[in-house]
Amino acid sequence: MGKNRARVMLLPGDGVGPEVTAEVEAVLRQIADRGHWELSVVEGLIGGASIDRYGLPVTDATLASCRTADAVFKGPVGGPKWDHLRGEQRCEAGLLRLRKELDAFANLRPTAVRPSLASVSPLRPERLAEGVDLLIVRELTGCAYFGQPKGRFGDRAVDTMAYTVDEVRRLARVGFELARSRKRRVTSVDKANVLESSRLWRDVVTEVAAEYPDVQLEHQLVDSCAMLLISRPSLFDVIITGNLFGDILSDEAGVLVGSLGMLPSASLGSPGTPGLYEPVHGAAPDIAGQGKANPVGSLLSLALLLRYSLDHPDEAARLEAAIGSVLDDGIRTMDVAGSGDHVVSTAAFGQEVRRRLA
Ligand code: IPM
Ligand code: MG
């Protein structure tokens, strides 16, 4: 049984963040009303919005509020206004701190190409013909993002790519578990021909694979994976990889669907901790406030929130189906519109999704 009392924290962020978050909130409220849930929505600041107000990309009070929520939805952060800031002052530092403090170590980034959207992809149709439906499971709280030492030391700058056995093991288990509800194939991506941390990664993943004899495991080097992801994307089911490689590969996966605006993400910690949900796209300051942003990545993130944090898989599936049907009917934001499609604003897209859910 899903939760019918839920506390959801919304962090709209910067740029197009407030526009896409407004659609998430409206859909969430509609679903909660219909199900007679007791929903409490709390809003907070992150990124540039928080810097402007408090001088910090995220405050302790906001983090505390996130920790007591059932789930956190976060919009993108950053923009030219804050680009001169360094290190801990930067917008991104707020996001990294949030991920770390929630211990949201498993970042799920699904990418599926709908047949009706295949023509929007820059890939040749024959490369998509076998279908693309893959899930990147990116480790999110380790690697060069957090490894110590880190910093400027005289004329040198250092980042440390490091992994422990436990960090790799818990991430790998998430990937293998999810593969069981999919095509039971895991591709583990590393750079074990060069990096020590990747050799540890490969050893631990191989060990974990023994717990899942029903799942097929393959190891791939990240450079070769980058090539195959774009040349033969249908080869993949679940990709498990480290923080930095996963960051890069997930943007590449965004190319397959034609727009980064389409991709959702869920970042999960241990059971009982709030999940963090974010679209994969950035703040896009060039189109902010114009109603041009694609809300699909955010609305699909809400579906993941319903599934993984509020335990409402049926509502999640209904929302995914509604979003899909709007897209299939050619009602789209400009980034994914083909000839003959009806181009709509962020808000009009959201409204159409709600109309179909009603
Ligand atoms: C992402 C983003 C972030 C990351 C940035 C904004 C810190 O690129 O979520 O993919 O590198 O993780
Ligand atoms: Mg990224």
Side-chain angles (χ1 to χ4, degrees):
M1 245 300 261
K3 288 193 201 289
N4 41 27
R5 273 186 75 172
R7 186 166 175 282
V8 176
M9 182 88 187
L10 297 180
L11 304 171
D14 306 318
V16 298
E19 293 160 70
V20 293
T21 305
E23 300 316 311
V24 165
E25 180 171 2
V27 171
L28 175 62
R29 286 192 188 280
Q30 182 189 34
I31 292 171
D33 282 351
R34 218 178 44 106
H36 306 291
W37 317 344
E38 223 176 280
L39 172 72
S40 101
V41 174
V42 184
E43 222 179 276
L45 300 176
I46 192 158
S50 178
I51 292 172
D52 286 353
R53 176 82 176 270
Y54 303 111
L56 289 169
V58 71
T59 64
D60 290 341
T62 302
L63 289 170
S65 195
C66 288
R67 271 193 297 267
T68 58
D70 293 297
V72 179
F73 174 86
K74 185 203 129 287
V77 297
K81 184 175 175 195
W82 307 283
D83 251 353
H84 63 285
L85 298 169
R86 288 288 158 254
E88 293 302 297
Q89 305 294 311
R90 288 190 64 84
C91 295
E92 291 83 358
L95 162 59
L96 297 181
R97 200 168 155 219
L98 176 63
R99 290 173 176 173
K100 191 74 177 174
E101 298 229 352
L102 295 179
D103 197 23
F105 67 88
N107 181 218
L108 280 39
R109 297 188 161 184
T111 298
V113 179
R114 301 184 73 76
S116 75
L117 276 145
S119 62
V120 188
S121 171
L123 261 67
R124 287 209 302 270
E126 62 267 29
R127 305 226 153 153
L128 300 171
E130 289 164 70
V132 176
D133 183 3
L134 58 91
L135 172 66
I136 296 179
V137 182
R138 165 192 177 196
E139 200 288 329
L140 203 59
T141 51
C143 196
Y145 277 64
F146 295 98
Q148 292 295 334
K150 186 182 200 57
R152 286 265 185 121
F153 305 96
D155 65 352
R156 289 176 79 228
V158 178
D159 293 287
T160 302
M161 188 182 261
Y163 269 118
T164 66
V165 169
D166 285 347
E167 283 174 326
V168 180
R169 190 182 285 138
R170 67 179 186 171
L171 188 278
R173 285 194 176 128
V174 172
F176 278 94
E177 288 293 334
L178 288 166
R180 280 189 163 157
S181 59
R182 301 173 50 98
K183 284 176 259 162
R184 294 178 187 258
R185 287 208 311 266
V186 168
T187 306
S188 175
V189 176
D190 60 38
K191 186 72 184 168
N193 54 346
V194 178
L195 301 174
E196 206 53 56
S197 56
S198 279
R199 285 194 271 270
L200 176 121
W201 178 280
R202 198 173 274 218
D203 290 347
V204 176
V205 169
T206 304
E207 243 175 69
V208 170
E211 299 166 22
Y212 299 87
D214 52 318
V215 178
Q216 186 193 324
L217 167 68
E218 186 195 10
H219 298 282
Q220 242 171 47
L221 297 172
V222 64
D223 46 353
S224 146
C225 176
M227 183 185 68
L228 288 167
L229 195 54
I230 220 78
S231 53
R232 301 198 54 199
S234 52
L235 289 180
F236 296 95
D237 179 21
V238 175
I239 294 176
I240 59 176
T241 191
N243 203 345
L244 186 57
F245 299 154
D247 178 45
I248 299 165
L249 294 176
S250 59
D251 268 33
E252 192 187 354
V255 175
L256 302 174
V257 289
S259 168
L260 213 46
M262 298 289 290
L263 298 190
S265 82
S267 306
L268 308 178
S270 341
T273 57
L276 171 64
Y277 299 84
E278 329 168 38
V280 174
H281 66 76
D286 52 320
I287 58 163
Q290 299 172 33
K292 291 181 179 169
N294 186 345
V296 169
S298 293
L299 292 172
L300 289 175
S301 299
L302 174 61
L304 297 176
L305 184 157
L306 293 164
R307 178 173 294 125
Y308 293 119
S309 286
L310 302 189
D311 200 15
H312 280 291
D314 299 347
E315 295 294 356
R318 254 168 46 83
L319 175 54
E320 285 162 347
I323 297 165
S325 79
V326 176
L327 292 168
D328 289 350
D329 288 349
I331 301 171
R332 301 175 185 179
T333 47
M334 60 171 203
D335 57 322
V336 286
S339 60
D341 287 337
H342 181 48
V343 178
V344 295
S345 68
T346 313
F349 189 96
Q351 197 175 19
E352 185 59 27
V353 169
R354 294 196 296 282
R355 196 179 68 76
R356 291 176 192 221
L357 280 174

PDB file of all heavy atoms in Angstrom, residues 252-272:
ATOM      1  N   GLU A 252      25.220  11.801 -22.777  1.00  0.00           N
ATOM      2  CA  GLU A 252      25.263  11.168 -24.097  1.00  0.00           C
ATOM      3  C   GLU A 252      23.955  10.425 -24.368  1.00  0.00           C
ATOM      4  O   GLU A 252      23.414  10.481 -25.481  1.00  0.00           O
ATOM      5  CB  GLU A 252      26.458  10.213 -24.181  1.00  0.00           C
ATOM      6  CG  GLU A 252      26.727   9.762 -25.603  1.00  0.00           C
ATOM      7  CD  GLU A 252      27.791   8.679 -25.703  1.00  0.00           C
ATOM      8  OE1 GLU A 252      28.414   8.338 -24.682  1.00  0.00           O
ATOM      9  OE2 GLU A 252      27.976   8.173 -26.817  1.00  0.00           O
ATOM     10  N   ALA A 253      23.435   9.771 -23.333  1.00  0.00           N
ATOM     11  CA  ALA A 253      22.152   9.066 -23.489  1.00  0.00           C
ATOM     12  C   ALA A 253      21.033  10.046 -23.854  1.00  0.00           C
ATOM     13  O   ALA A 253      20.095   9.695 -24.558  1.00  0.00           O
ATOM     14  CB  ALA A 253      21.804   8.305 -22.207  1.00  0.00           C
ATOM     15  N   GLY A 254      21.174  11.284 -23.367  1.00  0.00           N
ATOM     16  CA  GLY A 254      20.177  12.303 -23.685  1.00  0.00           C
ATOM     17  C   GLY A 254      20.100  12.588 -25.173  1.00  0.00           C
ATOM     18  O   GLY A 254      19.043  12.954 -25.708  1.00  0.00           O
ATOM     19  N   VAL A 255      21.215  12.394 -25.864  1.00  0.00           N
ATOM     20  CA  VAL A 255      21.227  12.614 -27.314  1.00  0.00           C
ATOM     21  C   VAL A 255      20.321  11.593 -28.013  1.00  0.00           C
ATOM     22  O   VAL A 255      19.654  11.917 -28.987  1.00  0.00           O
ATOM     23  CB  VAL A 255      22.673  12.510 -27.870  1.00  0.00           C
ATOM     24  CG1 VAL A 255      22.680  12.622 -29.388  1.00  0.00           C
ATOM     25  CG2 VAL A 255      23.540  13.583 -27.246  1.00  0.00           C
ATOM     26  N   LEU A 256      20.286  10.383 -27.480  1.00  0.00           N
ATOM     27  CA  LEU A 256      19.490   9.326 -28.114  1.00  0.00           C
ATOM     28  C   LEU A 256      18.023   9.726 -28.218  1.00  0.00           C
ATOM     29  O   LEU A 256      17.352   9.449 -29.199  1.00  0.00           O
ATOM     30  CB  LEU A 256      19.596   8.010 -27.328  1.00  0.00           C
ATOM     31  CG  LEU A 256      21.002   7.442 -27.149  1.00  0.00           C
ATOM     32  CD1 LEU A 256      20.963   6.235 -26.224  1.00  0.00           C
ATOM     33  CD2 LEU A 256      21.586   7.052 -28.500  1.00  0.00           C
ATOM     34  N   VAL A 257      17.518  10.385 -27.175  1.00  0.00           N
ATOM     35  CA  VAL A 257      16.102  10.769 -27.183  1.00  0.00           C
ATOM     36  C   VAL A 257      15.874  12.124 -27.840  1.00  0.00           C
ATOM     37  O   VAL A 257      14.743  12.596 -27.913  1.00  0.00           O
ATOM     38  CB  VAL A 257      15.482  10.795 -25.763  1.00  0.00           C
ATOM     39  CG1 VAL A 257      15.324   9.397 -25.218  1.00  0.00           C
ATOM     40  CG2 VAL A 257      16.289  11.654 -24.814  1.00  0.00           C
ATOM     41  N   GLY A 258      16.933  12.770 -28.265  1.00  0.00           N
ATOM     42  CA  GLY A 258      16.761  14.019 -29.006  1.00  0.00           C
ATOM     43  C   GLY A 258      16.822  15.264 -28.147  1.00  0.00           C
ATOM     44  O   GLY A 258      17.026  16.357 -28.654  1.00  0.00           O
ATOM     45  N   SER A 259      16.617  15.133 -26.843  1.00  0.00           N
ATOM     46  CA  SER A 259      16.683  16.303 -25.973  1.00  0.00           C
ATOM     47  C   SER A 259      16.929  15.867 -24.539  1.00  0.00           C
ATOM     48  O   SER A 259      16.245  14.965 -24.033  1.00  0.00           O
ATOM     49  CB  SER A 259      15.370  17.084 -26.028  1.00  0.00           C
ATOM     50  OG  SER A 259      15.332  18.048 -24.986  1.00  0.00           O
ATOM     51  N   LEU A 260      17.871  16.536 -23.901  1.00  0.00           N
ATOM     52  CA  LEU A 260      18.147  16.263 -22.489  1.00  0.00           C
ATOM     53  C   LEU A 260      16.918  16.583 -21.635  1.00  0.00           C
ATOM     54  O   LEU A 260      16.761  16.069 -20.529  1.00  0.00           O
ATOM     55  CB  LEU A 260      19.341  17.131 -22.064  1.00  0.00           C
ATOM     56  CG  LEU A 260      20.310  16.609 -21.020  1.00  0.00           C
ATOM     57  CD1 LEU A 260      20.734  15.175 -21.266  1.00  0.00           C
ATOM     58  CD2 LEU A 260      21.534  17.511 -20.944  1.00  0.00           C
ATOM     59  N   GLY A 261      16.053  17.415 -22.188  1.00  0.00           N
ATOM     60  CA  GLY A 261      14.829  17.802 -21.480  1.00  0.00           C
ATOM     61  C   GLY A 261      13.884  16.646 -21.197  1.00  0.00           C
ATOM     62  O   GLY A 261      12.951  16.770 -20.406  1.00  0.00           O
ATOM     63  N   MET A 262      14.112  15.529 -21.855  1.00  0.00           N
ATOM     64  CA  MET A 262      13.226  14.368 -21.717  1.00  0.00           C
ATOM     65  C   MET A 262      13.591  13.466 -20.542  1.00  0.00           C
ATOM     66  O   MET A 262      12.821  12.600 -20.166  1.00  0.00           O
ATOM     67  CB  MET A 262      13.321  13.501 -22.979  1.00  0.00           C
ATOM     68  CG  MET A 262      12.874  14.184 -24.245  1.00  0.00           C
ATOM     69  SD  MET A 262      11.110  14.411 -24.265  1.00  0.00           S
ATOM     70  CE  MET A 262      10.569  12.708 -24.457  1.00  0.00           C
ATOM     71  N   LEU A 263      14.809  13.642 -20.003  1.00  0.00           N
ATOM     72  CA  LEU A 263      15.304  12.614 -19.085  1.00  0.00           C
ATOM     73  C   LEU A 263      15.089  12.919 -17.606  1.00  0.00           C
ATOM     74  O   LEU A 263      15.422  13.999 -17.133  1.00  0.00           O
ATOM     75  CB  LEU A 263      16.803  12.371 -19.321  1.00  0.00           C
ATOM     76  CG  LEU A 263      17.209  11.859 -20.695  1.00  0.00           C
ATOM     77  CD1 LEU A 263      18.670  11.437 -20.672  1.00  0.00           C
ATOM     78  CD2 LEU A 263      16.344  10.700 -21.133  1.00  0.00           C
ATOM     79  N   PRO A 264      14.554  11.945 -16.878  1.00  0.00           N
ATOM     80  CA  PRO A 264      14.353  12.084 -15.432  1.00  0.00           C
ATOM     81  C   PRO A 264      15.482  11.418 -14.658  1.00  0.00           C
ATOM     82  O   PRO A 264      16.294  10.694 -15.236  1.00  0.00           O
ATOM     83  CB  PRO A 264      13.079  11.275 -15.207  1.00  0.00           C
ATOM     84  CG  PRO A 264      13.217  10.122 -16.167  1.00  0.00           C
ATOM     85  CD  PRO A 264      13.973  10.668 -17.380  1.00  0.00           C
ATOM     86  N   SER A 265      15.522  11.657 -13.355  1.00  0.00           N
ATOM     87  CA  SER A 265      16.423  10.875 -12.523  1.00  0.00           C
ATOM     88  C   SER A 265      15.864  10.726 -11.122  1.00  0.00           C
ATOM     89  O   SER A 265      15.070  11.543 -10.655  1.00  0.00           O
ATOM     90  CB  SER A 265      17.817  11.505 -12.469  1.00  0.00           C
ATOM     91  OG  SER A 265      17.861  12.540 -11.513  1.00  0.00           O
ATOM     92  N   ALA A 266      16.282   9.639 -10.489  1.00  0.00           N
ATOM     93  CA  ALA A 266      15.972   9.395  -9.087  1.00  0.00           C
ATOM     94  C   ALA A 266      17.286   9.094  -8.402  1.00  0.00           C
ATOM     95  O   ALA A 266      18.097   8.349  -8.943  1.00  0.00           O
ATOM     96  CB  ALA A 266      15.047   8.188  -8.949  1.00  0.00           C
ATOM     97  N   SER A 267      17.510   9.666  -7.236  1.00  0.00           N
ATOM     98  CA  SER A 267      18.712   9.356  -6.474  1.00  0.00           C
ATOM     99  C   SER A 267      18.278   8.774  -5.144  1.00  0.00           C
ATOM    100  O   SER A 267      17.619   9.454  -4.355  1.00  0.00           O
ATOM    101  CB  SER A 267      19.560  10.608  -6.257  1.00  0.00           C
ATOM    102  OG  SER A 267      19.828  11.209  -7.505  1.00  0.00           O
ATOM    103  N   LEU A 268      18.641   7.516  -4.945  1.00  0.00           N
ATOM    104  CA  LEU A 268      18.113   6.788  -3.791  1.00  0.00           C
ATOM    105  C   LEU A 268      19.226   6.435  -2.811  1.00  0.00           C
ATOM    106  O   LEU A 268      20.339   6.100  -3.207  1.00  0.00           O
ATOM    107  CB  LEU A 268      17.428   5.497  -4.265  1.00  0.00           C
ATOM    108  CG  LEU A 268      16.381   5.676  -5.371  1.00  0.00           C
ATOM    109  CD1 LEU A 268      15.817   4.319  -5.793  1.00  0.00           C
ATOM    110  CD2 LEU A 268      15.257   6.601  -4.921  1.00  0.00           C
ATOM    111  N   GLY A 269      18.894   6.498  -1.539  1.00  0.00           N
ATOM    112  CA  GLY A 269      19.819   6.075  -0.490  1.00  0.00           C
ATOM    113  C   GLY A 269      19.340   4.767   0.102  1.00  0.00           C
ATOM    114  O   GLY A 269      18.681   3.978  -0.576  1.00  0.00           O
ATOM    115  N   SER A 270      19.659   4.545   1.368  1.00  0.00           N
ATOM    116  CA  SER A 270      19.193   3.316   2.008  1.00  0.00           C
ATOM    117  C   SER A 270      17.692   3.426   2.251  1.00  0.00           C
ATOM    118  O   SER A 270      17.166   4.538   2.337  1.00  0.00           O
ATOM    119  CB  SER A 270      19.890   3.093   3.345  1.00  0.00           C
ATOM    120  OG  SER A 270      21.057   3.835   3.406  1.00  0.00           O
ATOM    121  N   PRO A 271      16.993   2.284   2.391  1.00  0.00           N
ATOM    122  CA  PRO A 271      15.559   2.316   2.626  1.00  0.00           C
ATOM    123  C   PRO A 271      15.233   3.214   3.823  1.00  0.00           C
ATOM    124  O   PRO A 271      15.954   3.218   4.814  1.00  0.00           O
ATOM    125  CB  PRO A 271      15.219   0.849   2.941  1.00  0.00           C
ATOM    126  CG  PRO A 271      16.314   0.051   2.324  1.00  0.00           C
ATOM    127  CD  PRO A 271      17.534   0.913   2.317  1.00  0.00           C
ATOM    128  N   GLY A 272      14.162   3.987   3.686  1.00  0.00           N
ATOM    129  CA  GLY A 272      13.767   4.864   4.788  1.00  0.00           C
ATOM    130  C   GLY A 272      14.302   6.283   4.653  1.00  0.00           C
ATOM    131  O   GLY A 272      13.818   7.182   5.320  1.00  0.00           O
TER     132      GLY A 272
END
